[in-house]
Amino acid sequence: MNRKEFIGTTFLASLATMLPMRAHEFLTANTQPELSDFEKSLSPVGRALEFEDFYVWCNSPIEGPDGKIHVFFSRWPKAKGMGGWISSSEIAHAVADKPEGPYEYVSTVLSPRGTGYWDATTCHNPSIHFVDGKYALFFLGNSNGKMDTKRIGLATADSLYGPWTRPDEPLLLPGKEGEWDDLLTTNPSFIKHPNGEYWLYYKSLDTEGYVHPKFEIKGNRKYGLAIAKSLEEPYTKYEGNPVVDFHNMGNNQQCEDAYVWYEDKKFKMLARDMGVYGIDKGLYMESKDGKHWSKPLIGYQELSKYITQPPAPKHLNRYGRVERPQLLFQNGKPTYLFTASQGGKYETASAFIFKIN
């Protein structure tokens, strides 16, 4: 070992002893990412829901009583560019005879309602579930086309074809000033707990870290949990929040787009990586209680690991990665992974589907 190597190794060893245990574990994980069994089960199907005049994102599937596959997705005008999601998105419904598609647009189910409403300027992040004999469509809205008014809401219907009852107020509000979640609530992920409770996972970040960033990525995204006794009753935030927090890794590592489900007596989570292993991968975690999560493994990889794409168009700065993971369940088991990815024949964004083998 030469002098340079010795100094570097000694520095890292000293740094590791000063870091909290969780960060110390991730220091090792960050250099040797491990593929999860979930990732190893994936095979690419391809793109779906490509529209010439729209960007498409947030593709949430469910099998209907008609045997068809229904997808609730975000879309906004192509003329707005990729950034149009925050001020011009609507939530639409499409249907297909099989998970691979092709999908046919049915209708737009939630549109921005205009001045005076909490969801005045955008409707985004749909996540569809069948709960207690009705359909629950969790989503986010905002009132000014900006980050600071993003709030989670819940629309319900007796049929996947509607009509949908829209909430007059958000389902979950940010925390008090100075708390870790005082900026917004977004990226809803819902499960009905085996004990009968209603659990809602949500992403948030603190206002100070977002408004006065110390890193290239503004703010640090963490995940919290809120619990209710029934689907539409007030959700109380878990006192041990945040339940997913990577900030102790030391370089503003974080995640977003979490999707949580319960399978084989375990809670499982997929999320978009934002610095743990990179920015083009997904994370996979497990938990015995839904509150304390394992060290993350790779949940999915960048698209180049699965398919060959044309060179990146200059106007698509997220090209090559997949985001917003959502699962299709059939007979109680996850069978397909639906994601969103830039690109496709219209050089916008669309769904990208994987089969779970």
Side-chain angles (χ1 to χ4, degrees):
M1 180 183 294
N2 62 35
R3 182 175 182 273
K4 184 176 182 181
E5 290 172 338
F6 174 79
I7 293 172
T9 303
T10 303
F11 171 75
L12 287 174
S14 300
L15 176 63
T17 62
M18 295 185 289
L19 291 172
M21 179 58 69
R22 184 160 55 174
H24 184 190
E25 291 170 355
F26 286 136
L27 189 64
T28 302
N30 196 37
T31 59
Q32 296 178 328
E34 181 181 347
L35 299 180
S36 65
D37 288 340
F38 180 89
E39 193 284 332
K40 294 174 184 177
S41 75
L42 298 177
S43 58
V45 172
R47 292 188 178 272
L49 293 165
E50 294 187 271
F51 296 92
E52 185 172 4
D53 297 324
F54 290 93
Y55 280 77
V56 167
W57 213 248
C58 307
N59 306 281
S60 184
I62 191 169
E63 187 173 37
D66 54 5
K68 296 181 182 294
I69 306 303
H70 299 253
V71 176
F72 291 82
F73 61 98
S74 303
R75 70 175 193 175
W76 60 95
K78 181 179 181 178
K80 297 282 187 177
M82 185 66 200
W85 69 270
I86 199 166
S87 60
S88 305
S89 182
E90 64 182 18
I91 295 173
H93 174 205
V95 66
D97 291 328
K98 56 184 181 179
E100 296 87 349
Y103 285 87
E104 181 180 351
Y105 168 83
V106 175
S107 66
T108 295
V109 298
L110 296 176
S111 297
R113 288 191 281 184
T115 303
Y117 291 94
W118 70 272
D119 51 0
T121 46
T122 209
C123 295
H124 200 63
N125 279 178
S127 188
I128 185 70
H129 299 267
F130 185 65
V131 188
D132 300 343
K134 67 175 67 175
Y135 293 96
L137 183 59
F138 294 86
F139 69 104
L140 77 83
N142 66 15
S143 61
N144 63 357
K146 299 179 181 179
M147 288 276 286
D148 63 334
T149 61
K150 288 167 64 176
R151 307 288 184 265
I152 290 173
L154 169 62
T156 58
D158 294 327
S159 166
L160 287 166
Y161 293 94
W164 293 90
T165 300
R166 297 185 68 156
D168 291 330
E169 300 293 337
L171 186 67
L172 191 69
L173 296 173
K176 297 178 181 177
E177 183 178 353
E179 295 182 339
W180 74 274
D181 61 349
D182 68 351
L183 181 62
L184 50 79
T185 62
T186 186
N187 287 175
S189 183
F190 171 85
I191 61 169
K192 187 173 181 181
H193 195 284
N195 67 12
E197 293 178 335
Y198 299 76
W199 283 28
L200 179 64
Y201 292 87
Y202 68 100
K203 183 187 83 179
S204 192
L205 57 162
D206 66 289
T207 300
E208 175 62 24
Y210 184 76
V211 175
H212 301 108
K214 298 178 181 179
F215 299 89
E216 184 178 354
I217 298 176
K218 295 194 294 184
N220 189 279
R221 291 148 183 81
K222 303 171 187 176
Y223 264 85
L225 168 65
I227 301 172
K229 296 299 183 182
S230 69
L231 180 64
E232 297 178 79
E233 285 188 5
Y235 283 71
T236 301
K237 294 177 182 178
Y238 167 55
E239 62 183 10
N241 281 341
V243 296
V244 177
D245 176 4
F246 297 140
H247 86 278
N248 281 333
M249 291 181 67
N251 194 30
N252 204 33
Q253 285 90 335
Q254 50 195 288
C255 69
E256 64 176 4
D257 294 349
Y259 181 91
V260 180
W261 74 103
Y262 187 76
E263 181 186 16
D264 299 330
K265 297 183 179 180
K266 294 179 182 178
F267 296 84
K268 301 181 179 182
M269 178 187 291
L270 289 172
R272 185 211 152 198
D273 190 354
M274 296 184 72
V276 178
Y277 298 118
I279 62 170
D280 294 330
K281 301 182 185 296
L283 303 176
Y284 173 87
M285 291 171 276
E286 293 185 350
S287 172
K288 293 180 179 179
D289 62 4
K291 298 173 180 176
H292 303 88
W293 291 88
S294 67
K295 182 184 75 176
L297 305 177
I298 299 296
Y300 53 82
Q301 302 190 70
E302 52 269 43
L303 272 183
S304 62
K305 299 293 185 180
Y306 306 103
I307 63 170
T308 299
Q309 295 196 105
K314 293 182 179 180
H315 65 286
L316 297 180
N317 60 8
R318 301 186 191 182
Y319 193 76
R321 72 179 183 234
V322 297
E323 303 186 25
R324 295 291 299 150
Q326 301 275 302
L327 296 181
L328 173 65
F329 285 83
Q330 295 175 292
N331 298 318
K333 291 289 185 180
T335 56
Y336 288 82
L337 168 64
F338 281 62
T339 67
S341 184
Q342 291 184 341
K345 60 184 176 181
Y346 300 119
E347 296 189 345
T348 53
S350 68
F352 193 94
I353 303 170
F354 298 84
K355 190 176 190 305
I356 302 172
N357 300 298

